[in-house]
Each structure stands twice: as structure tokens, then as C-alpha cells.
């Protein structure tokens, strides 16, 4: 079966612009996670969804970042008024449910570059 | 807050030599522990996980890790390195329902022929 997919694979934008990053999780996975990986660092948690609702958004750095999952499947991470510091690889992962025992399956990521 | 420390941002071994990648976590309660591998231009792939069933965990590609509560460690080992093991390895911890992963900074493994 298909794994987690993310589009676009690369996104270059100018400072101040708005961007949307898309994640298609594995079918049937109820939990979906967003992480951000800056150069030379490990992934950092941003937000996770259980179904349609954001169960934990404590990792979102500020109110320019927002994510939705309206039908409990595809999720979109939205960044307003992008800044150069937002440049990173944005990773999406999904798991069967949020139990800590379950493996998270990661997508290939979207590399965002803000000029 | 939980944290994960990976000692050594770069490790270099010869082909056939022992691989040892170190990971320490900060928690007084045994957490869920994971090792992920990231090959160039690919997504993170789970190598193995500890979920309290056994302290010695075997994963894919000949890797294993031992959970040592007294040392708060979960070091990754492989008896004999192969060229295909060259990649970046991440240790991660999760404590609660919700499965939010906290990652270490990663260790890049280089295998010399």
C-alpha cells in the first residue's frame, strides 16, 4: 500500500508570502503529526491530529503557523507571512492511533526555502 | 520536558567494525524509545522500538539496542558495519498517549571501506 505522501517536495517562496504544505497519510491512520527539521537538527514536533481535531498544537512556533485536517485524512500546514527562519524540511507522519506503542510512518518531507 | 542526547554528531567506522551510536534520555519514568534512520533524500524509517516488553530490542538490518534504566540510555549497536549502513540515525522518545516524539540531534554514520 501507499505510504505517507507530501506535496510539494520543494517549495521556494519569498519572505512575507503565504504557503501551504500538504500531507496524505496512510489510509486508515487516525493520528497525523507535523514536524519541522532544520539543518543539522533532529525533527521538532509541531502539531498532531486525532481525527479531525488538533489534539496537541504546543509545538507551533507562533500564530503564523496553522494546520487543518477537515475530513480526518489529508492535512494542510499553512504558514502566513513567511520568514527566512521558516526555511526547513517539514515532515508529516501518521500512525494507526495515538498510542505511544505505535510506529509513526514518515513522509519524504517538503523542503521549504524562504528567500 | 523530555530531552534526548545523542553523543557524537558524526561517527566513522570501518566496514566490518562494530557500530555504537549513543543515546541518553531524560526521564524518571521508562518511556517509549525509538531509533530511526534517514538515508539521503529519503524519509525517516523506523529501525527498532522499545516498549517495555524486553530490554534488548532487535531491529531491522542487524541493528539492536539495549534499554538501561539505571543509565537512562538506549544505545544502538550493530556487530559488523556494512557500507549500506551509512546514513543519519535519530534516537527519539515518547512518553504519553499522543505519541509526540522528541528527537535527538542525530548522528551521521560514515562507513569506510
Amino acid at each position: 500500500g501507499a505510504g505517507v505522501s507530501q506535496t510539494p517536495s520543494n517549495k521556494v517562496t519569498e519572505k512575507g508570502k503565504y504557503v501551504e504544505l500538504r500531507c496524505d497519510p496512510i489510509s486508515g491512520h487516525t493520528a497525523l503529526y507535523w514536524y519541522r527539521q532544520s539543518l543539522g537538527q533532529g525533527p521538532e514536533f509541531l502539531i498532531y491530529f486525532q481525527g479531525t481535531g488538533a489534539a496537541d498544537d504546543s509545538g507551533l512556533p507562533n500564530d503564523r503557523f496553522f494546520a487543518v485536517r477537515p475530513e480526518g485524512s489529508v492535512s494542510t500546514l499553512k504558514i502566513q507571512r513567511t520568514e527566512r527562519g521558516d526555511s526547513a524540511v517539514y515532515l508529516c507522519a501518521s500512525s494507526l492511533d495515538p498510542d505511544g506503542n505505535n510506529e509513526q510512518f514518515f513522509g519524504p518531507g517538503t523542503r521549504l526555502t524562504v528567500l | 520536558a523530555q530531552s534526548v542526547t545523542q553523543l557524537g554528531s558524526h561517527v566513522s567506522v570501518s566496514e566490518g567494525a562494530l557500530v555504537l551510536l549513543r543515546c541518553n534520555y531524560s526521564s524518571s519514568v521508562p518511556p517509549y524509545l525509538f531509533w530511526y534512520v534517514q538515508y539521503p533524500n529519503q524519509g525517516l524509517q523506523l529501525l527498532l522500538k522499545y516498549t517495555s516488553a524486553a530490554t534488548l530490542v532487535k531491529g531491522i538490518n542487524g541493528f539492536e539496542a539495549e534499554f538501561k534504566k539505571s543509565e537512562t540510555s538506549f544505545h544502538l549497536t550493530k556487530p559488523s558495519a556494512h557500507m549500506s549502513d551509512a546514513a543519519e540515525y535519530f534516537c527519539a522518545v515518547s512518553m504519553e498517549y499522543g505519541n509526540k516524539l522528541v528527537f535527538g540531534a542525530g548522528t551521521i554514520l560514515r562507513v569506510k571501506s
Side-chain angles (χ1 to χ4, degrees):
Chain A
V4 178
S5 61
Q6 293 185 246
T7 54
S9 55
N10 281 282
K11 176 71 178 178
V12 180
T13 190
E14 294 179 343
K15 180 175 178 296
K17 299 291 188 183
Y18 168 82
V19 297
E20 290 189 351
L21 312 178
R22 176 187 168 106
C23 172
D24 280 88
I26 292 172
S27 178
H29 281 192
T30 64
L32 184 147
Y33 306 80
W34 284 99
Y35 295 85
R36 178 169 71 174
Q37 186 174 16
S38 300
L39 194 61
Q41 298 181 22
E44 294 179 297
F45 170 79
L46 295 176
I47 184 171
Y48 109 85
F49 290 87
Q50 172 57 20
T52 60
D56 183 349
D57 64 358
S58 61
L60 294 178
N62 51 60
D63 61 7
R64 295 187 297 105
F65 288 74
F66 189 72
V68 295
R69 194 186 185 198
E71 298 178 357
S73 179
V74 170
S75 176
T76 304
L77 179 65
K78 308 179 181 193
I79 310 175
Q80 298 177 321
R81 304 183 304 280
T82 52
E83 300 177 356
R84 292 194 179 88
D86 298 335
S87 296
V89 176
Y90 289 81
L91 299 170
C92 177
S94 70
S95 68
L96 194 59
D97 62 47
D99 189 279
N101 185 40
N102 285 326
E103 176 182 354
Q104 291 185 26
F105 294 85
F106 283 81
T110 293
R111 182 176 299 278
L112 175 66
T113 303
V114 182
L115 302 176
Chain B
Q2 307 164 50
S3 66
V4 176
T5 302
Q6 291 185 240
L7 290 176
S9 59
H10 291 77
V11 170
S12 182
V13 300
S14 297
E15 193 173 18
L18 171 72
V19 175
L20 171 60
L21 305 182
R22 300 177 187 273
C23 172
N24 289 86
Y25 63 93
S26 65
S27 171
S28 59
V29 176
Y32 298 117
L33 291 156
F34 306 82
W35 275 99
Y36 280 86
V37 60
Q38 188 172 37
Y39 297 102
N41 300 315
Q42 294 187 29
L44 289 161
Q45 179 183 0
L46 182 69
L47 268 181
L48 49 80
K49 64 178 182 181
Y50 166 77
T51 57
S52 78
T55 57
L56 182 63
V57 182
K58 294 187 184 298
I60 62 171
N61 302 335
F63 283 93
E64 63 182 36
E66 185 173 8
F67 171 70
K68 292 187 176 180
K69 182 181 176 182
S70 61
E71 299 177 7
T72 61
S73 70
F74 190 57
H75 302 331
L76 182 70
T77 61
K78 182 173 180 178
S80 176
H82 191 274
M83 296 297 289
S84 61
D85 295 327
E88 188 162 19
Y89 293 79
F90 293 94
C91 181
V93 62
S94 173
M95 286 293 298
E96 66 237 15
Y97 187 86
N99 206 5
K100 175 174 67 179
L101 292 172
V102 176
F103 285 87
T107 298
I108 295 173
L109 175 66
R110 178 185 169 217
V111 181
K112 300 175 291 185
S113 58

